[in-house]
Amino acid sequence: MPNQPDYELIVPAGLEVRNLADRLAEIVRNMIILGDIEPDVAVKQDVLAAQLKVSKIPLREALSRLEQDGLVKAVPNRGFIATSIFGASLGLPRE
């Protein structure tokens, strides 16, 4: 087998490289804001992971990040529950 070339990640100036958990956090945040995930309803990680075609591990990491923003709440032995977006920090710039 011929030698494979070494590929290097080249990122244009000003382009932000984000990992899967970051992208999932943004997707789930939008789902909550748009009402696709209702407040006070358990987020079924296995169903959501299948819907988004991802593993549960990066999804769980994304949900943990959204907990910091107040969009979901971790409940021991139950997973995550979406909270009301009113009063949550949406990560939007303040005017």
Side-chain angles (χ1 to χ4, degrees):
M1 179 186 268
N3 288 340
Q4 298 263 339
D6 289 330
Y7 292 101
E8 177 180 327
L9 180 63
I10 300 172
V11 179
L15 181 65
E16 181 181 339
V17 176
R18 300 181 322 172
N19 64 25
L20 180 58
D22 289 336
R23 288 183 279 180
L24 288 173
E26 186 175 320
I27 290 168
V28 176
R29 175 182 286 111
N30 289 336
M31 292 174 79
I32 292 170
I33 291 169
L34 295 173
D36 295 333
I37 298 175
E38 295 181 19
D40 302 320
V41 174
V43 177
K44 297 180 181 176
Q45 293 179 48
D46 52 344
V47 173
L48 189 56
Q51 180 183 356
L52 298 174
K53 296 179 176 69
V54 296
S55 152
K56 287 192 285 186
I57 295 171
L59 179 59
R60 192 174 304 122
E61 185 178 336
L63 290 168
S64 293
R65 292 177 187 181
L66 293 176
E67 182 181 25
Q68 295 172 357
D69 292 340
L71 289 173
V72 297
K73 180 180 178 182
V75 179
N77 301 319
R78 295 200 56 220
F80 292 89
I81 295 178
T83 60
S84 171
I85 62 170
F86 301 106
S89 169
L90 300 179
L92 301 173
R94 295 179 188 258
E95 294 181 8

